[in-house]
Amino acid sequence: MVIAQEGKKQLNFELNLLPIISVLAVCVCFLLMTAVWIPIGQVSIQQGLGETPLGQTENPPTVFAAMNANGEIVFMLKDLGPQQTREERVVVNGIAKQINWAAVQESLQSIRKTYPQIRTAIVMPNPISKYDDVIQMMDHMHRVEIADVGLSPF
Amino acid sequence: MRSILKNQMMQSPLANQSIIRPKGNRGRKSLVITLVLTSLVDAFCMLVIYLMFNISPSEQASMISKAGQLPIASHSDTLERGTVVRVEGDKYFVNEQAVAPQNLTQKFQQIKAQMGQAPDILIQADKSLNFSAFNPIILAAAQSGVHQFKFAVFHGGNGK
């Protein structure tokens, strides 16, 4: 842009940056809003594959959650320590062949309160367990701060 | 006679600050504070480029459309990239390639050989499927030395 001023042509060129900043600000806002709008996440699990050496001393305290066909959930507590004389079992009955999630949550909270050293869980679904129920079970485990959740194939 | 352009021209604050040949209001001190916007434009550009590369809505949008209804989990992590295994009834798609159930082990081993390490399996399926549909995947992954599984879910909800 040549500015004519008192007969002398000035070759200075000044670009108005305000519109550029406005456009970039709109792009940033759009990207931030679309990032929040996408609701997909992931539930991660890690499976052991016999990497444990034979010389390992002891297994961590673990809760096994068996999902039976009639909506019944059986929690089995193992490897709680030398003070454990027998296997602890907690049975949560289903309602109309559906899992009673409120009772499951209460049982898990009670187990965690009684045995705070439990940080590992294994979910054992049966072949006709719904995928949604399996995910819900893992989600309930994470809610009571059981971080290491595994999935046992049948 | 002043030209129309000169009358309508925006006075440059930078040019006004010149000591040798100030433009505009000569002899007067301009109180306009000159703001250097170049660095601000650079910062915005970097922000836009970073957000464009790190957020890929197209991949996630296709996951929503093809997966049917994903399960909902209240405690879920941010979705990460991985080897996508999509389950539709009794059909399995690994990275959008149809794979027979008996060939899943071979497919995972191929991917592991290509990547040089065990891949992270991202399982994507409708929530109404039975767990029996996922058993071949878990067994095949175990045989291939894959031990990290991720299940695609929707954020949110207080669960059941």
Side-chain angles (χ1 to χ4, degrees):
Chain A
M1 180 176 74
V2 175
I3 303 172
Q5 198 168 8
E6 296 185 354
K8 291 184 180 177
K9 287 188 179 179
Q10 301 295 327
L11 297 179
N12 294 330
F13 183 82
E14 291 187 9
L15 188 65
N16 191 5
L17 293 177
L18 290 178
I20 298 174
I21 294 172
S22 300
V23 168
L24 290 174
V26 168
C27 290
V28 167
C29 292
F30 172 76
L31 289 170
L32 287 174
M33 287 182 66
T34 52
V36 175
W37 202 256
I38 297 169
I40 296 185
Q42 68 181 33
V43 173
S44 303
I45 62 170
Q46 199 154 358
Q47 297 294 95
L49 294 175
E51 297 166 352
T52 307
L54 293 175
Q56 184 172 350
T57 52
E58 57 184 39
N59 294 322
T62 305
V63 55
F64 290 80
M67 302 174 67
N68 296 333
N70 54 357
E72 181 187 75
I73 305 294
V74 179
F75 293 110
M76 294 166 284
L77 311 179
K78 298 183 181 178
D79 303 312
L80 295 177
Q83 69 276 8
Q84 184 183 20
T85 54
R86 58 183 177 86
E87 184 182 272
E88 301 275 347
R89 291 168 68 96
V90 177
V91 180
V92 179
N93 294 319
I95 298 176
K97 296 188 179 179
Q98 301 294 322
I99 298 173
N100 184 353
W101 291 109
V104 165
Q105 185 66 18
E106 283 180 18
S107 300
L108 282 172
Q109 285 173 347
S110 172
I111 289 171
R112 277 283 288 147
K113 195 174 179 182
T114 309
Y115 304 102
Q117 69 271 28
I118 291 179
R119 291 270 189 246
T120 305
I122 302 288
V123 178
M124 300 189 297
N126 71 80
I128 61 170
S129 294
K130 292 293 179 194
Y131 174 45
D132 187 35
D133 290 340
V134 175
I135 295 295
Q136 289 301 317
M137 180 59 69
M138 292 193 284
D139 191 39
H140 280 271
M141 299 284 188
H142 286 128
R143 282 191 212 177
V144 294
E145 297 178 2
I146 296 176
D148 299 327
V149 180
L151 195 59
S152 171
F154 55 87
Chain B
M1 181 177 167
R2 294 165 66 89
S3 68
I4 296 174
L5 281 176
K6 189 176 179 181
N7 288 336
Q8 293 179 347
M9 181 179 66
M10 183 177 68
Q11 295 295 331
S12 168
L14 276 175
N16 284 340
Q17 301 300 320
S18 172
I19 297 175
I20 300 176
R21 287 184 182 177
K23 305 296 186 297
N25 300 326
R26 294 192 178 194
R28 297 179 191 172
K29 284 189 177 178
S30 172
L31 297 178
V32 175
I33 299 174
T34 305
L35 192 64
V36 178
L37 298 175
T38 309
S39 55
L40 189 62
V41 172
D42 291 339
F44 270 97
C45 286
M46 284 192 288
L47 201 59
V48 168
I49 292 169
Y50 170 78
L51 289 173
M52 279 198 297
F53 275 104
N54 279 279
I55 298 167
S56 55
S58 60
E59 183 180 313
Q60 295 183 354
S62 68
M63 201 175 280
I64 293 173
S65 61
K66 290 179 183 176
Q69 188 73 12
L70 294 175
I72 298 174
S74 59
H75 283 62
S76 56
D77 302 325
T78 308
L79 187 68
E80 296 173 356
R81 295 181 187 274
T83 301
V84 178
V85 179
R86 184 163 51 89
V87 183
E88 287 184 6
D90 56 351
K91 297 179 184 175
Y92 301 91
F93 298 87
V94 179
N95 290 335
E96 295 305 317
Q97 293 177 0
V99 179
Q102 59 272 18
N103 296 333
L104 281 171
T105 305
Q106 184 182 1
K107 185 66 179 177
F108 290 151
Q109 286 172 346
Q110 279 177 6
I111 294 172
K112 186 179 175 182
Q114 286 171 4
M115 294 177 62
Q117 61 180 7
D120 290 344
I121 303 291
L122 176 61
I123 297 175
Q124 167 194 337
D126 188 84
K127 66 179 182 179
S128 61
L129 289 178
N130 289 338
F131 184 73
S132 56
F134 301 90
N135 210 51
I137 301 174
I138 296 175
L139 291 174
Q143 291 173 10
S144 307
V146 175
H147 52 84
Q148 184 78 20
F149 291 94
K150 294 177 259 189
F151 296 93
V153 296
F154 280 132
H155 280 304
N158 292 324
K160 295 182 183 176

